[in-house]
Amino acid sequence: MSHGAGGKATHKLIESLLLPALDNPALAPLSDAAILPHGDARLALTTDSYVVRPLVFPGGSIGELAVNGTVNDLAVSGATPIGLSAALIVEEGLDTEILAREVGAMGRAAERAGVPVATGDTKVVERGKGDGLYVITTGIGIVDPGLNLSSSSVRPGDRILCSGTLGDHGAAILIARGDLELEAEVPSDTRPLTPLVDALKGVAGPGLRFMRDPTRGGAGTVLNELARDSGYSVALWEERIPIRDVVNGACEILGMDPLYVANEGKLLAVVDPGRADAALEALRAVEGGGEASIIGEVREEPARMVLMHTQFGGTRMIDMLVGDPLPRIC
């Protein structure tokens, strides 16, 4: 299961098996979306599969998640989504009302994101072989010509912004499964990130260097990818990282670090230091960005490492996620 968690095992699988067989210039960056030149434009193409359990959880469901997740992969690649496809893998015996409910959730999520589900496919597998419903969505978008989002664009001194509280989606799934005896309800943060991305683009422009939505593997894994690929260091300030008390409590019970818990409606952005304060205010003015924070900065050294300055005055290394503490999270 760790090969599907988005951490070290996932990277090993991709880099040792998939990349050697399929290697090409569009795939090589291993970004959330591939960037494909098309005439004078650049297209972003992404695909994702959703196997979350349970199908419905506080704040969302698999149908809404499948649309928002793919829209968000396009948005953090600097692209405006123009169309989605959806493939449904349905287990024999699934209640028609459940299927209709999830298709309806997909429709409402697509309408909210302003993008059509333009094509799709359905398959049915034998009873006991599909766990109800799996959804695969693919999205295509047009990349903003004024942006060059890449780890290679990052510079020492750049600030790292987080759009809101981390770990909400993972905690919501844990509580929905009944794995924790907590009375508090934590809704998933699933939402389209396009309004937050538009706000960032409006104030930061070319000073917006890099974006990613920290889903599987959480913020800790995304920031390790950034440090590894840029060749620089990432420094975090623990007291500035927004995490709800209930999420911290759930993670303490399970012995997990909330930096590795999945999010489905948050983004991390690297911004030129001269634009960072304006970018933060722009995020906070948008629904879903009210708890945005500048959580760290890019530094020259130590190269390819993520270090967190703790609230107690110490420093600890943040590694990429190892293992899979929360399988079937999205």
Side-chain angles (χ1 to χ4, degrees):
M1 296 297 287
S2 63
H3 288 98
K8 281 189 174 181
T10 302
H11 279 267
K12 184 177 180 181
L13 175 68
I14 292 171
E15 292 167 1
S16 65
L17 194 154
L18 300 178
L19 195 55
L22 304 173
D23 191 23
N24 62 76
L27 178 64
L30 299 178
S31 300
D32 280 345
I35 306 301
L36 306 170
H38 182 70
D40 294 332
R42 291 180 296 159
L43 301 179
L45 178 66
T46 188
T47 192
D48 212 337
S49 50
Y50 297 85
V51 296
V52 65
R53 178 179 60 84
L55 298 179
V56 179
F57 44 83
S61 67
I62 191 172
E64 181 180 1
L65 191 66
V67 170
N68 288 342
T70 293
V71 165
N72 291 346
D73 282 345
L74 294 173
V76 297
S77 300
T80 299
I82 58 174
L84 302 179
S85 75
L88 306 177
I89 299 176
V90 183
E91 181 184 356
E92 177 188 15
L94 180 70
D95 193 316
T96 304
E97 289 185 5
I98 295 175
L99 182 60
R101 181 193 66 208
E102 293 311 314
V103 173
M106 294 178 70
R108 290 188 294 277
E111 183 177 1
R112 183 182 182 190
V115 59
V117 179
T119 187
D121 184 44
T122 58
K123 294 287 190 302
V124 178
V125 298
E126 297 94 330
R127 192 183 300 268
K129 301 291 181 63
D131 210 4
L133 177 66
Y134 300 146
V135 182
I136 299 99
T137 49
T138 298
I140 189 167
I142 299 175
V143 179
D144 187 321
L147 292 179
N148 183 26
L149 301 177
S150 167
S151 57
S152 62
S153 300
V154 169
R155 298 289 179 266
D158 285 350
R159 300 295 192 261
I160 300 168
L161 280 69
C162 174
S163 67
T165 53
L166 295 176
D168 294 354
H169 177 73
I173 298 298
L174 276 173
I175 293 171
R177 287 178 184 169
D179 293 343
L180 295 174
E181 295 182 0
L182 291 179
E183 294 183 359
E185 180 173 295
V186 180
S188 167
D189 57 358
T190 180
R191 65 171 63 243
L193 291 171
T194 40
L196 293 166
V197 171
D198 288 344
L200 280 176
K201 290 193 295 187
V203 298
L208 181 57
R209 319 273 206 206
F210 173 92
M211 284 192 292
R212 192 69 62 83
D213 58 332
T215 55
R216 292 177 304 159
T221 295
V222 167
L223 293 172
N224 268 278
E225 293 170 346
L226 173 63
R228 180 196 62 186
D229 296 343
S230 69
Y232 295 122
S233 171
V234 169
L236 300 175
W237 302 305
E238 185 177 28
E239 73 277 9
R240 297 191 187 184
I241 299 174
I243 300 172
R244 297 182 197 277
D245 288 343
V246 66
V247 173
N248 257 327
C251 288
E252 286 180 4
I253 292 171
L254 294 173
M256 296 168 49
D257 189 326
L259 286 177
Y260 300 121
V261 178
N263 311 271
E264 290 292 342
K266 302 292 170 16
L267 64 81
L268 297 173
V270 179
V271 178
D272 179 294
R275 306 287 182 89
D277 288 338
L280 178 63
E281 291 306 310
L283 283 177
R284 288 177 171 173
V286 178
E287 181 182 1
E291 295 173 278
S293 177
I294 297 175
I295 63 171
E297 65 180 9
V298 178
R299 295 177 179 171
E300 289 271 7
E301 299 289 344
R304 297 181 173 84
M305 292 183 66
V306 179
L307 298 177
M308 183 157 73
H309 299 289
T310 71
Q311 301 182 59
F312 305 105
T315 302
R316 71 178 175 98
M317 188 179 78
I318 304 297
D319 200 356
M320 192 174 286
L321 174 68
V322 177
D324 188 7
L326 297 174
R328 306 277 301 274
I329 202 75
C330 59

